[in-house]
Amino acid sequence: MNRLSDDQMAARLAQDIPDGAYVNLGIGLPNLVAAFVPKGREVMYQTENGLLGVGPSPAPGQEDPELIDASKKFVTTLPGASFFDHTDSFAMMRGGHLDIAVLGAYQVAENGDLANWATLDESFPPAVGGAMDLVAGVPQIFAIMRHTTREGSPKLLRRCSFPLTGAGVVTRVYTDLGVFAVTPEGFRVIDLAPGNSLGDVQSVTEARLIA
């Protein structure tokens, strides 16, 4: 099976962010999206710790220890960037002021249910962050994740088995095997990683895939 790299997944997702959008980037894979703004577009990325206008990661040796994102990774700022406290940041997230949120996920169900904060494994404490606020206030939720677990189990499911972050909130899923839109009939395939067939990807997907 051919799989996209993390950067290829992030770059593919960035293609679907329209000019002028305000976008929250979650922790992990979502952070990579900031490095990929298609030519000719202006996108303002927000991080919940209080920065609007997140730029790409700094070059080695150019890190500012006081300039980090929600996952404590070093970031840069774009022209026009602004800083604010958590109160204003969560007001943006819950108040409908962002267009898209890009979140990582443990599982996504074919009805758009999102599970990204706990796995029921008691050796790993839950870490919810602001994801529940984002799914409550942002109209489009893009999930970016690997298509299967490290053990090969599907992560695109008919129903999530982990606790839900939000019910019916995901609009699109970006994985290392393709891009999938959530529809009432199941996951509609938008595109697949080069060299893979629909049958190949369905074989590692529990949920229904629709051409």
Side-chain angles (χ1 to χ4, degrees), residues 175-186:
T175 80
D176 47 352
L177 295 183
V179 182
F180 310 90
V182 175
T183 76
E185 293 77 33

Side-chain angles (χ1 to χ4, degrees), residues 12-154:
R12 174 62 188 87
L13 188 153
Q15 292 177 17
D16 291 346
I17 297 177
D19 184 36
Y22 289 81
V23 182
N24 176 279
L25 297 179
I27 293 172
L29 284 174
N31 284 324
L32 300 177
V33 177
F36 301 99
V37 178
K39 189 175 181 180
R41 296 185 200 174
E42 181 179 13
V43 177
M44 294 297 282
Y45 291 118
Q46 190 240 21
T47 177
E48 69 188 52
N49 59 318
L51 169 60
L52 182 66
V54 177
S57 299
Q62 300 299 311
E63 299 91 349
D64 181 343
E66 296 188 356
L67 195 55
I68 59 174
D69 62 15
S71 59
K72 301 180 182 179
K73 300 290 186 183
F74 293 117
V75 295
T76 59
T77 57
L78 299 176
S82 61
F83 302 92
F84 36 85
D85 61 24
H86 261 171
T87 303
D88 288 335
S89 182
F90 277 70
M92 290 180 191
M93 294 156 56
R94 295 190 67 91
H97 304 289
L98 300 175
D99 301 301
I100 298 169
V102 181
L103 300 174
Y106 292 127
Q107 298 175 338
V108 178
E110 61 187 21
N111 65 348
D113 289 352
L114 170 68
N116 82 339
W117 74 283
T119 63
L120 302 178
D121 183 342
E122 294 183 355
S123 62
F124 292 95
V128 64
M132 289 183 178
D133 303 84
L134 288 163
V135 301
V138 181
Q140 293 194 76
I141 304 296
F142 291 175
I144 181 169
M145 55 196 260
R146 292 180 181 83
H147 203 91
T148 59
T149 67
R150 292 177 181 175
E151 295 74 29
S153 299

